[in-house]
């Protein structure tokens, strides 16, 4: 007699784990300020976490903190996520260590240097590689894993910057626009297979990425942002603007005619 669980059984098991304390969560870019704050909430809920980041010291510190905060299980892997060749083996190892996966949370990214990107194609290419090509590679593997099981949430941090290119950061914005469009298409493909794709679009948040920016002390608090992300993943939402007021703000910004927009200093 076969002991293999049917896709329906797997879906029900995962749905109940998402409500309870034992969700199995893979975090890519786990040392990011937003990811770390999100993981602290999951740890307090007793989740199992597999953390991937490229800085071993920071990663070890984050993992130790999450164990103290109550995570049921924490394992780690050091990886530069720009190395797409290693993605398949990294992800297979992570899912194996977690003995399954309910949520994959993609949080890594770089702001890059817009002024440099205007002069040096290599800088623009680096921004596109880290923010778009690497996530596309990760999501190709992860989406097929979830489709096979007819379950799972793929939660990915894009940005409001992807909603309209602006002169101050259009290389970064375009990389996130590509990511948001990819996620929209992926959702359209995998939703019917029982897989959720959540596009997270934060406005400016106080983290290491934005600490150097003027006015950054007024940016959103990372813990409040993390709380909204945890809730959106649990509710299996499709899209999250966070803080929520960025949804109407970006609606207005997207609809400003180019003849006006091109004269603005944004
Ligand atoms: N903060 C904001 O205002 C804001 C707004 C909208 C969207 N976002 C997005 O939110 C996500 C998290 O950003 P954050 O604000 O938390 O900034 P952060 O603290 O600077 O985190 C970025 C993380 O990405 C990691 N990373 C970059 N390139 C990597 C690579 N090749 N391999 C592995 N890890 C890599 C960094 O690792 P290292 O520490 O080793 O450099 C860092 O942990 C990013 O996707 C960002 O674009 C942020």
């Amino acid at each position: 007699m076969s002991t293999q669980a049917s896709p329906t059984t797997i879906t029900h098991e995962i749905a109940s784990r998402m409500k309870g304390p034992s969700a199995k969560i893979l975090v890519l870019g786990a040392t990011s300020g937003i990811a770390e704050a999100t993981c602290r909430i999951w740890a307090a809920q007793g989740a199992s976490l597999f953390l991937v980041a490229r800085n071993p010291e920071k990663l070890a510190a984050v993992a130790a903190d999450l164990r103290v905060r109550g995570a049921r299980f924490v394992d780690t892997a050091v990886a530069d996520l720009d190395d797409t060749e290693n993605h398949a083996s990294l992800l297979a190892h992570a899912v194996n260590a977690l003995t399954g996966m309910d949520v994959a949370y993609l949080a890594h990214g770089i702001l890059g240097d817009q002024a440099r990107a205007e002069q040096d194609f290599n800088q623009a290419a680096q921004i596109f590689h880290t923010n778009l090509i690497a996530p596309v590679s990760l999501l190709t593997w992860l989406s097929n894993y979830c489709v096979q099981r007819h379950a799972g949430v793929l939660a990915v941090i894009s940005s409001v910057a992807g909603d309209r290119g602006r002169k101050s950061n259009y290389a970064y914005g375009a990389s996130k626009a590509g990511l948001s469009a990819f996620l929209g298409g992926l959702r359209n493909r995998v939703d019917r297979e029982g897989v959720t794709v959540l596009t997270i679009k934060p406005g400016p948040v106080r983290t290491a990425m934005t600490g150097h920016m003027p006015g950054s002390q007024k940016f959103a608090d990372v813990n409040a942002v993390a709380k909204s992300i945890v809730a959106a993943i649990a509710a299996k939402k499709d899209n999250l603007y966070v803080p929520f007021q960025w949804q109407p703000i970006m609606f207005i910004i997207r609809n400003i005619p180019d003849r006006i927009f091109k004269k603005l200093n944004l």
Side-chain angles (χ1 to χ4, degrees), residues 29 31-35 53-55 58 79-82 107-110 130 157-159 172 176 202-205 207-210:
T31 54
S32 111
I34 297 177
R54 65 179 169 183
N55 179 316
K58 274 203 241 172
D80 183 334
L81 293 170
D82 283 349
H108 81 284
I110 55 169
T130 303
I157 308 188
S158 183
S159 173
Y172 173 79
K176 294 294 193 178
V205 184
T207 64
M209 186 176 277
T210 56

Side-chain angles (χ1 to χ4, degrees), residues 5 35 65 85 94 128 172 233 246:
D65 177 61
E85 291 293 313
F128 274 78
Y172 173 79
I233 291 172
W246 282 94

Side-chain angles (χ1 to χ4, degrees), residues 131-231:
N131 293 351
L132 178 58
I133 303 299
V136 166
S137 165
L138 295 165
L139 288 163
T140 300
W141 192 98
L142 290 165
S143 61
N144 290 326
Y145 171 84
C146 290
V147 164
Q148 269 181 9
R149 292 164 56 91
H150 298 278
V153 179
L154 303 171
V156 184
I157 308 188
S158 183
S159 173
V160 295
D163 278 13
R164 190 158 193 184
R166 294 178 292 126
K167 73 175 203 172
S168 59
N169 71 351
Y170 64 84
Y172 173 79
S175 70
K176 294 294 193 178
L179 180 59
S180 296
F182 182 85
L183 293 170
L186 182 65
R187 177 182 307 114
N188 189 217
R189 179 191 134 214
V190 302
D191 177 75
R192 67 204 67 192
E193 307 287 348
V195 181
T196 300
V197 176
L198 169 63
T199 306
I200 302 161
K201 292 183 180 177
V205 184
R206 264 193 324 274
T207 64
M209 186 176 277
T210 56
H212 64 285
M213 292 181 180
S216 64
Q217 67 282 1
K218 293 194 192 125
F219 291 176
D221 172 63
V222 74
N223 295 313
V225 167
K227 204 170 154 195
S228 299
I229 291 172
V230 168

Side-chain angles (χ1 to χ4, degrees), residues 34-54:
I34 297 177
E36 196 184 342
T38 316
C39 287
R40 278 192 224 118
I41 300 173
W42 281 326
Q45 293 174 351
S48 296
L49 299 162
F50 193 98
L51 313 174
V52 179
R54 65 179 169 183

